[in-house]
């Protein structure tokens, strides 16, 4: 029977990872809510299942490589639009 404050593994939607959690709410044998010990986010117990699935090692490598090397498939950030300074007259 889980008790409040017990350690449990669960998927954190804020961290996007399975992390250590604390039991916040339980009804009988069923855990209802958990709190992530990494970021402190409190959420319903997800039975350690993420929404979109885990990223493979190759996908993670490709993502890091693209961020370091730059990728043509990713749009470049737009230049900041600001007001142009007027040149002083007579100078």
């Amino acid at each position: 029977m889980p008790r409040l404050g017990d350690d449990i593994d669960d998927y954190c939607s804020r961290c996007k990872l399975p992390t250590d959690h604390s039991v916040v709410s339980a009804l009988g044998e069923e855990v209802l809510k958990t709190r992530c010990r990494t970021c402190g986010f409190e959420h319903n117990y997800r039975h350690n299942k993420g929404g979109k699935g885990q990223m493979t090692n190759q996908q993670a490598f490709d993502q890091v490589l693209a961020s370091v090397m730059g990728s043509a498939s990713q749009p470049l950030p737009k230049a900041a639009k600001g007001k142009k300074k007027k040149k002083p007259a007579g100078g």
Side-chain angles (χ1 to χ4, degrees):
M1 175 176 232
R3 296 182 303 168
L4 299 182
D6 281 354
D7 294 340
I8 192 167
D9 289 331
D10 198 11
Y11 179 83
C12 179
S13 60
R14 186 174 286 173
C15 296
K16 306 283 188 223
L17 294 168
T19 60
D20 291 333
H21 284 66
S22 297
V23 175
V24 175
S25 175
L27 182 62
E29 294 286 327
E30 184 180 355
V31 175
L32 300 177
K33 289 191 177 271
T34 60
R35 178 178 292 128
C36 178
R37 290 186 169 203
T38 303
C39 70
F41 185 59
E42 190 172 311
H43 55 80
N44 292 335
Y45 181 54
R46 295 188 173 92
H47 303 279
N48 208 15
K49 295 180 183 175
K52 294 183 181 179
Q54 292 286 342
M55 184 182 298
T56 65
N57 288 340
Q58 184 62 43
Q59 290 170 328
F61 176 79
D62 291 342
Q63 184 178 5
V64 170
L65 183 64
S67 70
V68 171
M69 300 298 289
S71 174
S73 64
Q74 294 178 346
L76 296 174
K78 294 181 179 180
K81 294 182 179 179
K83 294 181 180 179
K84 292 183 181 179
K85 293 183 179 180
K86 293 183 180 179
K87 292 183 180 180

